[in-house]
């Protein structure tokens, strides 16, 4: 108490009350509720952090690739070893398989992750899966992942929607791309112009679809301008595609 009295000569009473001391010099403990942010917050999401594998993760990744054609042994290894990996290693192995476009193994680990006790629905987790599936033009797996995220109530922001739609367009999957675009239009997030411009650029090979998106864009942002590519540019692209097919 002697130390406190000396301190109070130098520290204002208002500051002492702010940190929990009463005017009589006694400490008052106050319990404040902890408010956590959303699971997909960039600062909190484990899927946004730098992913480095430990020795155990490297061994597991190597063994998974070796066993991927031996389904019974693969499932046994996943149950006995992969499910025991640390969270950081499991996340890192999945990220590495996504980078390598190992679709089959990614889907296996996707199911493992969603069964983990620490798993929480996360926008970035689903975004990375869909990006990988778009690169590899895997429609059935895309439908499965999309159904899972809808059931879990995961919401993408407008920029993520724009990137996903563009990824499917760039990989010649316009049907899946426009389905995602429809989800983007129905999203509760307010529309942004940049994702629309990203999508419009990807729709250049699909003029009819582009006109529809262009109409939506001008309706939402009436003061903005859309620059259309020259018609001969699209014709040249079609001619080049036909020439390449003839040569094959």
């Amino acid at each position: 108490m002697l130390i406190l009295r000396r301190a109070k000569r130098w520290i204002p009473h208002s500051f002492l009350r702010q940190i929990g001391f009463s005017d009589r010099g006694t400490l008052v403990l106050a319990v404040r509720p902890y408010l956590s942010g959303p699971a997909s917050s960039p600062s909190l999401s484990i899927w946004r952090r730098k992913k480095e594998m430990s020795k155990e993760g490297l061994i597991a990744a190597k063994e998974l690739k070796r066993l991927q054609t031996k389904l019974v042994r693969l499932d046994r290894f996943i149950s006995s070893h992969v499910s025991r990996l640390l969270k950081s290693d499991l996340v890192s192995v999945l990220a590495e398989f996504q980078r390598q476009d190992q679709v089959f193994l990614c889907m296996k680990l996707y199911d493992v992750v969603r069964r983990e006790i620490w798993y929480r629905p996360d926008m970035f987790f689903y975004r990375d899966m869909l990006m990988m599936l778009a690169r590899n033009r895997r429609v059935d797996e895309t439908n499965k992942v999309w159904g899972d995220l809808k059931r879990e109530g995961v919401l993408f922001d407008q920029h993520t929607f724009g990137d996903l739609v563009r990824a499917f367009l760039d990989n010649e999957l316009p049907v899946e791309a426009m389905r995602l675009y429809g989800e983007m239009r129905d999203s509760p997030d307010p529309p942004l112009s940049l994702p629309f411009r990203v999508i419009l650029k990807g729709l250049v090979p699909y003029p009819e679809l582009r006109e529809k998106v262009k109409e939506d864009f001008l309706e939402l942002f009436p003061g903005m301008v859309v620059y259309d590519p020259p018609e001969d540019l699209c014709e040249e692209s079609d001619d080049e595609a036909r020439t390449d097919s003839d040569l094959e």
Side-chain angles (χ1 to χ4, degrees):
M1 190 62 69
L2 180 60
I3 297 175
L4 176 60
R5 286 171 181 166
R6 288 180 180 176
K8 289 178 67 175
R9 295 177 184 175
W10 301 96
I11 303 176
H13 288 274
S14 58
F15 178 76
L16 287 171
R17 286 195 297 271
Q18 184 178 355
I19 63 175
F21 282 99
S22 67
D23 292 336
R24 297 181 179 180
T26 57
L27 180 61
V28 179
L29 297 178
V31 179
R32 297 182 180 178
Y34 175 72
L35 301 177
S36 60
S40 58
S41 172
S43 60
L44 299 177
S45 174
I46 59 174
W47 306 101
R48 294 282 287 172
R49 301 171 190 167
K50 187 176 181 181
K51 303 171 181 65
E52 295 181 354
M53 273 189 282
S54 67
K55 182 180 179 180
E56 290 76 12
L58 290 169
I59 294 173
K62 183 178 180 180
E63 191 67 8
L64 284 168
K65 293 182 72 173
R66 188 180 73 84
L67 296 175
Q68 61 180 316
T69 58
K70 305 174 178 67
L71 299 184
V72 175
R73 294 179 62 187
L74 176 65
D75 290 338
R76 189 181 304 137
F77 179 76
I78 289 174
S79 300
S80 61
H81 291 78
V82 175
S83 59
R84 297 181 182 179
L85 286 176
L86 294 175
K87 175 170 63 174
S88 58
D89 281 330
L90 185 54
V91 171
S92 299
V93 173
L94 176 56
E96 179 59 23
F97 284 162
Q98 288 172 342
R99 187 187 68 82
Q100 296 178 14
D101 290 331
Q102 297 280 348
V103 177
F104 175 73
L105 292 177
C106 283
M107 294 304 296
K108 284 288 187 180
L109 292 186
Y110 166 82
D111 291 333
V112 172
V113 167
R114 295 180 67 245
R115 291 195 299 265
E116 290 293 316
I117 192 172
W118 49 261
Y119 170 75
R120 297 293 182 275
D122 190 289
M123 178 185 78
F124 300 104
F125 168 65
Y126 281 107
R127 182 204 63 179
D128 294 344
M129 285 296 299
L130 289 171
M131 284 289 191
M132 181 272 300
L133 294 172
R135 288 196 305 270
N136 293 275
R137 303 179 182 180
R138 304 299 286 266
V139 176
D140 292 339
E141 290 84 351
T142 295
N143 292 335
K144 169 181 167 50
V145 172
W146 185 258
D148 291 339
L149 74 89
K150 291 288 286 183
R151 282 188 292 271
E152 293 180 357
V154 176
L155 297 176
F156 289 140
D157 58 37
Q158 293 288 295
H159 290 292
T160 301
F161 265 124
D163 293 340
L164 286 170
V165 174
R166 179 64 182 272
F168 280 94
L169 289 172
D170 289 347
N171 290 281
E172 301 178 356
L173 293 171
V175 175
E176 286 68 28
M178 294 308 292
R179 185 182 66 173
L180 286 174
Y181 173 73
E183 296 286 345
M184 172 181 165
R185 294 286 284 117
D186 295 336
S187 172
D189 278 357
L192 301 173
S193 62
L194 182 58
F196 274 89
R197 293 190 182 278
V198 170
I199 294 170
L200 286 168
K201 189 173 182 180
L203 281 171
V204 170
Y206 309 98
E208 293 182 0
L209 298 177
R210 191 174 189 275
E211 281 300 314
K212 177 184 183 306
V213 176
K214 179 181 174 182
E215 291 177 3
D216 294 341
F217 176 80
L218 294 176
E219 180 181 350
L220 292 169
F221 308 100
M224 294 189 177
V225 179
V226 177
Y227 295 96
D228 295 319
E231 293 183 2
D232 56 350
L233 181 62
C234 297
E235 293 175 0
E236 289 177 3
S237 300
D238 294 338
D239 293 338
E240 290 176 0
R242 285 193 292 270
T243 303
D244 293 340
S245 63
D246 293 339
L247 292 174
E248 293 175 358

